């Protein structure tokens, strides 16, 4: 079945950061990369995909246009020319896999056994990352040169801070030795097999991150004190910020069950305070719904209290100056909003609005 450009764009819009459009087009390697790198290098890949989607569809369908293009390329050169963007992708993805493999190795002994010897698997992460990026699309290459080059950098791992990045760089350069054009139609594999492979790769990748977070990740505060992440989870869950977030989500859920989605959305917009009104009222020590008269009175009172000329100490004078400016900005913001709303409410209604109101009353 031929792939549809429309469906590819729809999947790009819905789940592009997960690589859904690439999976649909049979580009499983690129789909996995997009998932691990959050939309392909932080979303940059998604932008590129938008302009290259038609080319991807032509490749997936092995269209006559694509066949003519690849035939001309193979005629012009025996192997693909060097691409800076592909090379940069190999470096980024290879470093990511080698970094997470290195960080996942437990620093502490497990059941009295040190697992530091697992560092020999780090170059494998570099080679796999380079190989995956290098085999996306119309070109392919063997993993053997990249694997040998990555392990050639093992002496750098004996340094106090292992230079595992060298494995990726050497693997990326070695990949060019055996790269070639991909011949024939893209291989069609059963969807179950593809999903199984993608799931296995995803589980393996997430397990590395889990090992890193459980065994090695540490949180350091402003005093230089550090604690393992696994030991801090209970404190994080009971922290004031997390409790406020939990209470806010619980409040929103109850509000949704009573008032429905539309009213909930309006409440969320109000709480997010896009116009800065609530924050300005908080600065003036007023509640939501204060009248303009109350706002003006409070502004005059706070302006007198925090006027910089009342303070002689340089530090206090600087703090008062900052507070004074915040008060002025808050008053200007609220006054502007109130003035704008007053003009909108005093605007004469059109004949259509009057007629519509009459129909509603009837």
């Amino acid at each position: 079945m031929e792939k549809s450009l429309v469906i590819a764009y729809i999947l790009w819009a819905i789940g592009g950061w997960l690589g859904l459009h690439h999976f649909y087009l049979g580009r499983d390697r690129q789909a996995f990369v997009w998932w691990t790198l959050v939309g392909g290098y932080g979303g940059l890949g998604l932008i590129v995909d938008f302009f290259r989607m038609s080319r991807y569809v032509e490749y997936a369908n092995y269209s006559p246009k694509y066949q003519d293009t690849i035939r001309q390329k193979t005629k012009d050169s025996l192997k693909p020319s060097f691409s800076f963007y592909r090379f940069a992708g190999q470096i980024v993805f290879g470093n990511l896999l080698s970094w997470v493999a290195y960080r996942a190795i437990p620093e502490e002994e497990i059941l009295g056994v040190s697992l530091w010897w697992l560092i020999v698997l780090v170059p494998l992460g570099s080679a796999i990352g380079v190989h995956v990026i290098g085999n996306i699309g119309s070109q392919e290459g063997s993993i053997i040169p990249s694997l040998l080059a990555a392990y050639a950098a093992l002496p750098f791992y004996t340094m106090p801070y292992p230079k595992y990045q060298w494995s990726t760089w050497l693997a990326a350069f070695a990949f060019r030795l055996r790269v070639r054009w991909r011949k024939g139609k893209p291989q069609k594999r059963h969807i179950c097999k593809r999903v199984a492979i993608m799931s296995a790769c995803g589980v393996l990748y997430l397990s590395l991150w889990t090992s890193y977070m459980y065994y090695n990740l540490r949180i350091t505060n402003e005093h230089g004190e550090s604690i393992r992440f696994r030991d801090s989870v209970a404190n994080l869950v009971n922290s004031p910020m997390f409790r406020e977030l939990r209470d806010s989500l619980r409040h929103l859920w109850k509000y949704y069950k009573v008032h429905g989605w539309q009213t909930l959305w309006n409440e969320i917009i109000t709480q997010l305070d896009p116009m800065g009104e609530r924050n300005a009222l908080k600065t003036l020590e007023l509640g939501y719904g204060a009248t303009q008269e109350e706002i003006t009175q409070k502004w005059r009172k706070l302006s007198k209290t925090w006027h910089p000329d009342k303070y002689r100490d340089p530090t206090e004078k600087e703090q008062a100056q900052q507070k004074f400016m915040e008060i002025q900005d808050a008053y200007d913001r609220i006054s502007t909003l109130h003035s704008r709303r007053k003009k909108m409410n005093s605007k004469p209604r059109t004949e259509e609005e009057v007629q519509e109101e009459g129909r509603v009353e009837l």
Side-chain angles (χ1 to χ4, degrees), residues 12 34 43-53 56:
W12 172 87
W34 260 226
L44 180 62
L46 284 179
I47 299 175
V48 176
D49 286 347
F50 180 82
F51 298 100
R52 291 186 175 181
M53 195 70 72
Y56 295 158

Side-chain angles (χ1 to χ4, degrees), residues 33 36-37 40-42 44 84-100 125-126 129-130 133 164-165 168-169 172 205:
V33 173
T36 56
L37 293 177
Y41 313 100
L44 180 62
F84 170 78
Y85 298 105
R86 186 181 292 267
F87 182 81
Q90 289 176 313
I91 297 299
V92 171
F93 195 56
N95 278 339
L96 170 65
L97 295 188
S98 59
W99 180 87
V100 72
S126 296
V130 169
I133 299 296
Y164 48 84
Q165 298 90 342
T168 304
W169 282 91
Y205 179 74

Side-chain angles (χ1 to χ4, degrees), residues 122-150:
V122 175
L124 179 61
S126 296
I128 291 176
V130 169
H131 179 73
V132 168
I133 299 296
N135 281 266
I136 290 176
S138 59
Q139 70 178 50
E140 60 183 355
S142 172
I143 194 176
I144 301 302
S146 298
L147 197 61
L148 294 176

Side-chain angles (χ1 to χ4, degrees), residues 267-280:
E267 177 66 13
I268 292 175
I269 295 298
T270 301
Q271 294 296 330
L272 289 175
D273 194 25
M275 308 303 293
E277 182 177 8
R278 288 178 176 268
N279 187 51

Side-chain angles (χ1 to χ4, degrees), residues 17 23 33 54 89 131 161 182 223 241 268 271:
W17 65 280
F23 186 77
V33 173
S54 59
H131 179 73
Y161 298 96
R182 191 184 301 275
H223 303 294
M241 185 183 75
I268 292 175
Q271 294 296 330

